[in-house]
């Protein structure tokens, strides 16, 4: 009877271990075609170089089409070093570089929102913008990105935490270009151009 119980416990342990491994592999699956899916990869790349890194910019590194997977470019800044870092994530593979000095004050560093405020992923922002683009379709090339923070003296018309989605960015014919703003917190869309 004791031998049977030991065998049964071993079987239960092996089954539990197998279930845990399968569960872990499901959790580890990340959709690196999206900006949020690649974010953790980009952040982990900087875990030793700039552990306090804060996201400043995320964008497609090039024009995206229906036959291509976006290469995501992230710019992070480190309050402790005062430096910025550029991280590209291509098909789940990160490439990082020291980018240059950040000219932010301690107050500005503190005002940069956490990435937890970023709720709308790139695929949803793209779909929301495409639904508003009357002269485009799913085959229309596009670029997209957003800044997480703008300093008070920045004269840009870009709003922080708002995806800028631009369809046909290389077109010479302005009538075929569409620009849309998609709030990265809510998904609300407005026409930019």
């Amino acid at each position: 009877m004791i031998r049977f119980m030991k065998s049964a416990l071993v079987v239960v342990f092996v089954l539990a271990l197998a279930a845990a491994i399968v569960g872990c592999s499901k959790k580890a699956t990340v959709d690196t075609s999206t900006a949020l899916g690649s974010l953790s990869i980009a952040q982990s790349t900087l875990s030793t170089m700039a552990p306090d890194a804060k996201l400043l910019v995320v964008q497609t590194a090039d024009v995206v089409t229906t036959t291509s997977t976006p290469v995501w470019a992230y710019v992070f800044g480190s309050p402790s070093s005062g430096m910025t870092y550029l991280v590209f994530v291509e098909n789940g593979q990160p490439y990082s570089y020291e980018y240059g000095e950040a000219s932010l004050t301690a107050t500005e560093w503190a005002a940069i929102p956490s990435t937890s405020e970023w709720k709308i992923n790139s695929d949803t922002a793209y779909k929301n913008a495409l639904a508003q683009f009357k002269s485009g379709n799913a085959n229309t090339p596009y670029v997209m990105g957003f800044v997480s923070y703008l300093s008070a003296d920045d004269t840009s018309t870009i709003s922080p935490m708002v995806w800028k989605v631009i369809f046909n960015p290389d077109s010479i014919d302005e009538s075929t270009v569409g620009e849309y703003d998609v709030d990265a917190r809510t998904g609300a869309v407005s026409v930019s151009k």
Side-chain angles (χ1 to χ4, degrees), residues 49-135:
M49 189 183 331
D52 63 340
K54 293 184 170 217
L55 180 66
L56 301 173
V57 177
V58 59
Q59 67 183 40
T60 53
D62 203 356
V63 175
V64 183
T65 65
T66 55
T67 59
S68 64
T69 301
V71 174
W72 291 104
Y74 302 86
V75 177
F76 293 93
S78 167
S80 62
S81 71
M83 299 299 291
T84 58
Y85 303 88
L86 178 59
V87 181
F88 292 101
V89 179
E90 181 176 10
N91 296 318
Q93 180 65 46
Y95 305 92
S96 60
Y97 309 91
E98 188 173 276
Y99 194 58
E101 285 187 40
S103 55
L104 298 174
T105 66
T107 303
E108 290 173 317
W109 281 115
I112 296 172
S114 162
T115 55
S116 66
E117 291 187 33
W118 173 11
K119 304 291 185 202
I120 304 302
N121 203 350
S122 54
D123 55 345
T124 301
Y126 164 79
K127 288 175 191 169
N128 291 359
L130 183 62
Q132 300 297 313
F133 186 38
K134 294 181 182 21
S135 57

Side-chain angles (χ1 to χ4, degrees), residues 4 7 12 23 33 41-42 51 61 94 126 128 132 149-150 179 189 193:
F4 173 77
S7 297
V12 168
S33 68
I41 295 168
Y126 164 79
N128 291 359
Q132 300 297 313
Y149 174 79
L150 290 175
E179 292 185 19
V189 181
K193 180 177 179 184

Side-chain angles (χ1 to χ4, degrees), residues 27 34 46 61 68 81 96 102 131 133 138 155 177 180:
K27 289 179 187 173
T34 67
L46 297 177
S68 64
S81 71
S96 60
F133 186 38
T155 58
V177 176
Y180 298 88

